């Protein structure tokens, strides 16, 4: 079953796409399940700071689900940035009727892996700081899946890690019965592998990871479901299973 569990709409600061546009494109591409996971950004340096409005989001969500809900499964979600730093807000938002919450690290303090930061920090230096933030957010929890775990790769074009540190992250994540996503957006940025790629997914599997969600991280409707087959083949090759979330509960679905 073709799914897309990471999609941004007009309720994210960096998208103007309407939910209905995504649904129509998904039906054309035989995508059977969608989840709209708009950004919740609370870092004051992020230009999406406090942009998200859950009431407006759910108003639009209910309309599109009422209109198209018999044709495909439409789910609600958020991508919450730096969960360990804003645990109270995450708890408050979790009271809404979301099906799925992604936890992601985009910022390290006031640093985003933009060109200015890349000129000051090598990939190794930035990743060393980044993995510490990822571990902190995994320890905190409060989300269902960890988003694009090797996110700086999208900007640096490379990855650095110490395997023992990654194993600690994955073990902590799995101890809380949480999983990771395979995010395909890096392929549209000219990179050769998904986030994460084969090596990290294998370490995840070696630690006992069994499940993944698949998300395009689309910000325009043309990208919905993008490179799903690539992610599917990668996951299948490692022995990982595809899941979705309904009412914050994990549901295994067939490929």
């Amino acid at each position: 079953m073709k799914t897309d569990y990471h999609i941004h709409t007009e309720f994210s600061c960096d998208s103007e796409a309407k939910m209905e546009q995504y649904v129509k494109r998904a039906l054309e591409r035989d995508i059977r399940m969608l989840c709209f996971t708009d950004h919740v950004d609370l870092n004051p340096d992020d230009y999406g700071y406090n942009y998200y409005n859950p009431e407006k989001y759910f108003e639009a969500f209910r309309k599109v689900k009422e209109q198209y809900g018999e044709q495909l499964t439409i789910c609600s979600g958020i991508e919450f940035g730096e969960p360990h730093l804003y645990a109270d807000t995450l708890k408050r938002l979790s009271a809404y009727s979301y099906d799925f919450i992604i936890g992601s690290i985009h910022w390290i303090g006031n640093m985003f892996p933009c060109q200015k930061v890349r000129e000051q920090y090598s990939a190794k230096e930035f990743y060393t700081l980044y993995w510490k933030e990822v571990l902190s957010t995994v320890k905190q929890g409060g989300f269902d899946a960890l988003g694009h775990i090797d996110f700086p790769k999208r900007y640096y074009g490379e990855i650095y890690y110490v395997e023992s540190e990654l194993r600690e992250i994955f073990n902590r994540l799995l101890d809380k019965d949480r999983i990771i996503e395979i995010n395909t957006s890096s392929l549209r940025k000219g990179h050769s592998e998904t986030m994460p790629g084969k090596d990290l997914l294998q370490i995840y599997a070696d630690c006992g990871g069994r499940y993944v969600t698949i998300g395009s991280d689309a910000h325009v409707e043309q990208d919905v479901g993008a490179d799903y087959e690539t992610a599917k083949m990668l996951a299948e090759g490692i022995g990982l299973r595809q899941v979705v979330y309904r009412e914050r509960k994990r549901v295994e679905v067939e490929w």
Side-chain angles (χ1 to χ4, degrees):
M1 180 187 295
K2 193 172 184 179
T3 68
D4 193 337
Y5 253 62
H6 192 149
I7 301 171
H8 296 282
T9 75
E10 61 183 318
F11 300 103
S12 294
C13 67
D14 51 359
S15 175
E16 297 179 358
K18 306 287 187 182
M19 291 182 180
E20 185 176 12
Q21 293 173 306
Y22 279 117
V23 170
K24 289 181 177 179
R25 187 60 62 95
L27 289 170
E28 293 174 359
R29 296 181 176 178
D30 197 31
I31 297 171
R32 305 315 308 159
M33 299 189 76
L34 291 179
C35 190
F36 297 118
T37 53
D38 282 299
H39 286 294
V40 178
D41 296 313
L42 299 176
N43 186 309
D45 292 309
D46 194 302
Y47 70 96
Y49 174 65
N50 271 343
Y51 182 89
Y52 179 73
N53 185 311
E55 284 76 22
K56 291 182 178 180
Y57 168 94
F58 273 106
E59 180 181 357
F61 176 80
R62 292 185 187 103
K63 288 180 180 178
V64 76
K65 189 169 184 178
E66 181 178 342
Q67 185 172 359
Y68 295 97
E70 293 185 0
Q71 300 179 61
L72 77 171
T73 302
I74 307 170
C75 296
S76 60
I78 50 175
E79 181 184 11
F80 195 96
E82 296 77 53
H84 61 298
L85 299 179
Y86 312 105
D88 289 344
T89 303
L90 177 55
K91 184 177 180 180
R92 177 175 59 81
L93 284 174
S94 296
Y96 286 86
S97 56
Y98 293 111
D99 290 293
F100 181 51
I101 295 178
I102 300 171
S104 296
I105 301 294
H106 298 116
W107 290 84
I108 301 172
N110 63 352
M111 293 191 304
F112 186 90
C114 59
Q115 182 175 346
K116 182 178 179 180
V117 169
R118 296 197 304 273
E119 290 172 353
Q120 298 175 9
Y121 291 85
S122 68
K124 180 178 179 179
E125 290 170 331
F126 193 87
Y127 265 110
T128 298
L129 298 172
Y130 175 80
W131 293 127
K132 292 179 181 178
E133 294 297 303
V134 173
L135 180 59
S136 293
T137 217
V138 166
K139 288 179 178 178
Q140 177 65 41
F143 53 88
D144 301 307
L146 188 62
H148 45 52
I149 185 173
D150 50 355
F151 175 71
K153 180 173 66 182
R154 185 190 291 175
Y155 298 90
Y156 277 95
E158 59 182 298
I159 184 172
Y160 169 83
Y161 62 90
V162 176
E163 184 170 332
S164 60
E165 294 177 349
L166 269 184
R167 286 182 174 274
E168 182 179 6
I169 288 170
F170 288 140
N171 287 330
R172 292 272 190 168
L173 186 76
L174 295 168
D175 284 346
K176 290 181 176 290
D177 197 26
R178 301 297 184 259
I179 68 170
I180 62 174
E181 73 160 358
I182 299 179
N183 185 301
T184 66
S185 64
S186 52
L187 299 177
R188 303 194 301 278
K189 303 292 184 181
H191 301 299
S192 61
E193 62 177 23
T194 57
M195 297 185 296
K198 182 178 180 179
D199 291 346
L200 267 63
L201 286 170
Q202 186 63 63
I203 296 172
Y204 172 68
D206 291 345
C207 289
R210 299 173 60 196
Y211 305 112
V212 292
T213 59
I214 295 179
S216 67
D217 208 342
H219 288 68
V220 294
E221 66 270 19
Q222 291 87 347
D223 288 339
V224 66
D227 297 299
Y228 172 87
E229 292 298 330
T230 299
K232 172 187 173 182
M233 290 177 61
L234 178 60
E236 281 189 306
I238 295 172
L240 298 170
R241 302 177 184 179
Q242 177 181 211
V243 296
V244 295
Y245 281 78
R246 303 294 306 277
E247 298 179 349
R248 305 292 307 281
K249 295 179 181 179
R250 188 170 62 223
V251 180
E252 188 172 342
V253 294
E254 297 294 331
W255 289 111

